[in-house]
Amino acid sequence: MRNVSIEALMQLVGEYNLEECERVRKAYEYAKVLHENQFRQSGEPYINHPLNVAYILAEMHADGDTLCASLLHDTLEDTSVTKEDIAHVFNKNVANLVDGVTKISKLNFSSKQAQNLANTRKIITSITEDVRIIIIKLADRLHNMRTLQFKTPFKQRENALETMEIFVPLAYYIGAYRIKSELEDLSFRYLKPDLYHSLDEKKRKLEMENSDTLKEMLFKIQTMLNDRDIPNEIKIRTKNIYGIYKRLSDGHKLADIHDLLALKIIVDEIENCYLTLGLVHSKYYPVNDKFKDYISNPKTNMYRSLHTTVFGPNDRLVQTQIRTFNMDRVASFGLATYWDIKKGNAREVMQKDLKEKYQFFKSLVEINSMFGDNQEFVLQIKKELFADKIYVYTSKGDIVELPKGATPIDFAYKIHTDIGNTMVAAMVNEEYVDVGYPLKNKDRVKIITDDLSFGPREEWLSKVVTTRARKKIREFERR
Ligand code: MN
């Protein structure tokens, strides 16, 4: 991985936020003096690390405070500077961000020591205070993973595991797919090197073999769009290696992974997304059950796009993803996109959106309030939020995110406490099921309520997996 220079960072920041350049340079000079005579395991000056972290954030168009904090992120821990010094030289926001990142820096997720559990809890809950702390931490982790070859094999494994267990889910939840997939592949590479390299080779071969097919499709679709004066950009994308591995371990064959090869079609506005969909289907037969409209019905991390898999040239299955330029930024950076579209008060909008739109957030707050013990908290987070998830539909068609093993009782309480408390029966895909029925992906769930019901039964406690349902049932019992 090539190192960036301060000039490269200045140029990048200048492209989207000229007025912050001076302050960012000042943070760099300040950190450089503080880290003087410190070196990374690779032998290079330590300052290269915060500089690269800042660059990753600048690629996401991070605000000035975040960039300064990222340049200073290791100074509190490794140098003589204090939080007050940083507040004085920069401002309080920068100092708070650096402090927030520092508090969670000694994290060691794989160890069960009390101190580590407390730190793990801090990193996860820091998202409730300021999501930018997590975003800086994700960039920090990404650069450390990119330079992991200089660590001992033991450290490599430990960091890779920790990344998979905690940073990948966090990146997913805030919708930062670009970071998520790179972290996955970097970790996978150290966890299962042989498998990684063999899949990498297979993927390259497939890309080569299908390159002409995809280019032909790209050209045809582009011509149709240009003929209709629809501004567009089309890119070829292949699934990341870990994503391919996951599908294979679910029992799919390489040839059957329908989204292994995809065309990303980006247009200017929503109406043109649907128009493009029509054009694609008029030219290539769709695989009917593979169509998804995440524009009308966004994913729980706010990802929006139309997905349709079609028979491309030579009967090759190709997924096309159709979205607007704005949606494409959200698809890459998630919540961090607000840096671009809400300049000035991005931080406030991020926190507000997290609370109101991101389903995981409420669960996290609830788990945090229910579990005083750090070990129980971490276990519950792993089980309920960071493990496999399922997505089911309400009768209105909204997507609800639940942990694997969740039942209609969990579903009911997730929708509303009153619905849980007055539930008398449940239907899945229009058939009555037991309220303890384990829900599956894409189930359509309908809860039958009755105001005269006796309320939740005690035995429901053994049929729920979410903290929310458990908490609400207990609260009702106490009344
Ligand atoms: Mn660091």
Side-chain angles (χ1 to χ4, degrees), residues 107-119:
L107 175 81
N108 187 340
F109 202 58
S110 49
S111 157
K112 282 175 186 58
Q113 290 162 29
Q115 187 56 36
N116 292 323
L117 289 162
N119 279 325

PDB file of all heavy atoms in Angstrom, residues 107-119:
ATOM      1  N   LEU A 107      -8.312  -1.313  22.862  1.00  0.00           N
ATOM      2  CA  LEU A 107      -9.269  -2.386  22.706  1.00  0.00           C
ATOM      3  C   LEU A 107      -8.611  -3.716  22.357  1.00  0.00           C
ATOM      4  O   LEU A 107      -7.705  -3.780  21.550  1.00  0.00           O
ATOM      5  CB  LEU A 107     -10.222  -1.992  21.578  1.00  0.00           C
ATOM      6  CG  LEU A 107     -11.238  -3.009  21.147  1.00  0.00           C
ATOM      7  CD1 LEU A 107     -12.393  -2.981  22.112  1.00  0.00           C
ATOM      8  CD2 LEU A 107     -11.702  -2.661  19.762  1.00  0.00           C
ATOM      9  N   ASN A 108      -9.090  -4.745  22.975  1.00  0.00           N
ATOM     10  CA  ASN A 108      -8.633  -6.079  22.593  1.00  0.00           C
ATOM     11  C   ASN A 108      -9.822  -7.030  22.697  1.00  0.00           C
ATOM     12  O   ASN A 108     -10.100  -7.611  23.721  1.00  0.00           O
ATOM     13  CB  ASN A 108      -7.504  -6.535  23.508  1.00  0.00           C
ATOM     14  CG  ASN A 108      -6.911  -7.834  23.022  1.00  0.00           C
ATOM     15  OD1 ASN A 108      -7.551  -8.568  22.262  1.00  0.00           O
ATOM     16  ND2 ASN A 108      -5.710  -8.128  23.450  1.00  0.00           N
ATOM     17  N   PHE A 109     -10.515  -7.141  21.583  1.00  0.00           N
ATOM     18  CA  PHE A 109     -11.821  -7.795  21.578  1.00  0.00           C
ATOM     19  C   PHE A 109     -11.738  -9.287  21.862  1.00  0.00           C
ATOM     20  O   PHE A 109     -12.650  -9.873  22.409  1.00  0.00           O
ATOM     21  CB  PHE A 109     -12.479  -7.563  20.217  1.00  0.00           C
ATOM     22  CG  PHE A 109     -13.963  -7.712  20.228  1.00  0.00           C
ATOM     23  CD1 PHE A 109     -14.739  -6.937  21.067  1.00  0.00           C
ATOM     24  CD2 PHE A 109     -14.592  -8.612  19.393  1.00  0.00           C
ATOM     25  CE1 PHE A 109     -16.109  -7.049  21.069  1.00  0.00           C
ATOM     26  CE2 PHE A 109     -15.965  -8.737  19.383  1.00  0.00           C
ATOM     27  CZ  PHE A 109     -16.726  -7.951  20.223  1.00  0.00           C
ATOM     28  N   SER A 110     -10.626  -9.908  21.473  1.00  0.00           N
ATOM     29  CA  SER A 110     -10.570 -11.364  21.571  1.00  0.00           C
ATOM     30  C   SER A 110     -10.239 -11.814  22.994  1.00  0.00           C
ATOM     31  O   SER A 110     -10.492 -12.937  23.369  1.00  0.00           O
ATOM     32  CB  SER A 110      -9.555 -11.918  20.587  1.00  0.00           C
ATOM     33  OG  SER A 110      -8.348 -11.220  20.713  1.00  0.00           O
ATOM     34  N   SER A 111      -9.706 -10.893  23.776  1.00  0.00           N
ATOM     35  CA  SER A 111      -9.358 -11.274  25.145  1.00  0.00           C
ATOM     36  C   SER A 111     -10.548 -11.058  26.069  1.00  0.00           C
ATOM     37  O   SER A 111     -11.380 -10.212  25.845  1.00  0.00           O
ATOM     38  CB  SER A 111      -8.174 -10.443  25.607  1.00  0.00           C
ATOM     39  OG  SER A 111      -8.155 -10.400  27.010  1.00  0.00           O
ATOM     40  N   LYS A 112     -10.595 -11.856  27.128  1.00  0.00           N
ATOM     41  CA  LYS A 112     -11.752 -11.761  28.008  1.00  0.00           C
ATOM     42  C   LYS A 112     -11.467 -10.965  29.274  1.00  0.00           C
ATOM     43  O   LYS A 112     -12.272 -10.934  30.197  1.00  0.00           O
ATOM     44  CB  LYS A 112     -12.254 -13.160  28.348  1.00  0.00           C
ATOM     45  CG  LYS A 112     -13.051 -13.714  27.205  1.00  0.00           C
ATOM     46  CD  LYS A 112     -13.478 -15.137  27.395  1.00  0.00           C
ATOM     47  CE  LYS A 112     -14.150 -15.645  26.147  1.00  0.00           C
ATOM     48  NZ  LYS A 112     -13.266 -15.547  24.960  1.00  0.00           N
ATOM     49  N   GLN A 113     -10.319 -10.334  29.325  1.00  0.00           N
ATOM     50  CA  GLN A 113      -9.991  -9.570  30.519  1.00  0.00           C
ATOM     51  C   GLN A 113     -10.986  -8.433  30.733  1.00  0.00           C
ATOM     52  O   GLN A 113     -11.487  -7.849  29.787  1.00  0.00           O
ATOM     53  CB  GLN A 113      -8.584  -8.984  30.404  1.00  0.00           C
ATOM     54  CG  GLN A 113      -7.507 -10.044  30.488  1.00  0.00           C
ATOM     55  CD  GLN A 113      -6.200  -9.535  29.944  1.00  0.00           C
ATOM     56  OE1 GLN A 113      -5.938  -8.346  30.000  1.00  0.00           O
ATOM     57  NE2 GLN A 113      -5.393 -10.420  29.419  1.00  0.00           N
ATOM     58  N   ALA A 114     -11.215  -8.122  32.016  1.00  0.00           N
ATOM     59  CA  ALA A 114     -12.207  -7.111  32.377  1.00  0.00           C
ATOM     60  C   ALA A 114     -11.958  -5.781  31.668  1.00  0.00           C
ATOM     61  O   ALA A 114     -12.877  -5.162  31.138  1.00  0.00           O
ATOM     62  CB  ALA A 114     -12.200  -6.914  33.887  1.00  0.00           C
ATOM     63  N   GLN A 115     -10.691  -5.363  31.622  1.00  0.00           N
ATOM     64  CA  GLN A 115     -10.352  -4.086  31.009  1.00  0.00           C
ATOM     65  C   GLN A 115     -10.762  -4.060  29.532  1.00  0.00           C
ATOM     66  O   GLN A 115     -11.289  -3.076  29.029  1.00  0.00           O
ATOM     67  CB  GLN A 115      -8.847  -3.845  31.160  1.00  0.00           C
ATOM     68  CG  GLN A 115      -8.384  -2.480  30.702  1.00  0.00           C
ATOM     69  CD  GLN A 115      -9.125  -1.361  31.420  1.00  0.00           C
ATOM     70  OE1 GLN A 115      -9.447  -1.470  32.593  1.00  0.00           O
ATOM     71  NE2 GLN A 115      -9.444  -0.292  30.702  1.00  0.00           N
ATOM     72  N   ASN A 116     -10.521  -5.170  28.862  1.00  0.00           N
ATOM     73  CA  ASN A 116     -10.852  -5.238  27.437  1.00  0.00           C
ATOM     74  C   ASN A 116     -12.346  -5.194  27.202  1.00  0.00           C
ATOM     75  O   ASN A 116     -12.821  -4.590  26.247  1.00  0.00           O
ATOM     76  CB  ASN A 116     -10.280  -6.512  26.828  1.00  0.00           C
ATOM     77  CG  ASN A 116      -8.779  -6.449  26.793  1.00  0.00           C
ATOM     78  OD1 ASN A 116      -8.215  -5.386  26.556  1.00  0.00           O
ATOM     79  ND2 ASN A 116      -8.137  -7.569  27.037  1.00  0.00           N
ATOM     80  N   LEU A 117     -13.079  -5.858  28.080  1.00  0.00           N
ATOM     81  CA  LEU A 117     -14.536  -5.852  27.933  1.00  0.00           C
ATOM     82  C   LEU A 117     -15.077  -4.442  28.114  1.00  0.00           C
ATOM     83  O   LEU A 117     -15.956  -4.000  27.384  1.00  0.00           O
ATOM     84  CB  LEU A 117     -15.167  -6.809  28.944  1.00  0.00           C
ATOM     85  CG  LEU A 117     -14.931  -8.279  28.621  1.00  0.00           C
ATOM     86  CD1 LEU A 117     -15.186  -9.152  29.845  1.00  0.00           C
ATOM     87  CD2 LEU A 117     -15.812  -8.727  27.472  1.00  0.00           C
ATOM     88  N   ALA A 118     -14.508  -3.731  29.087  1.00  0.00           N
ATOM     89  CA  ALA A 118     -14.941  -2.359  29.316  1.00  0.00           C
ATOM     90  C   ALA A 118     -14.645  -1.506  28.083  1.00  0.00           C
ATOM     91  O   ALA A 118     -15.453  -0.676  27.668  1.00  0.00           O
ATOM     92  CB  ALA A 118     -14.236  -1.787  30.539  1.00  0.00           C
ATOM     93  N   ASN A 119     -13.474  -1.733  27.471  1.00  0.00           N
ATOM     94  CA  ASN A 119     -13.110  -0.976  26.272  1.00  0.00           C
ATOM     95  C   ASN A 119     -13.996  -1.315  25.088  1.00  0.00           C
ATOM     96  O   ASN A 119     -14.362  -0.445  24.304  1.00  0.00           O
ATOM     97  CB  ASN A 119     -11.650  -1.234  25.914  1.00  0.00           C
ATOM     98  CG  ASN A 119     -10.729  -0.378  26.747  1.00  0.00           C
ATOM     99  OD1 ASN A 119     -11.067   0.759  27.069  1.00  0.00           O
ATOM    100  ND2 ASN A 119      -9.590  -0.916  27.110  1.00  0.00           N
TER     101      ASN A 119
END
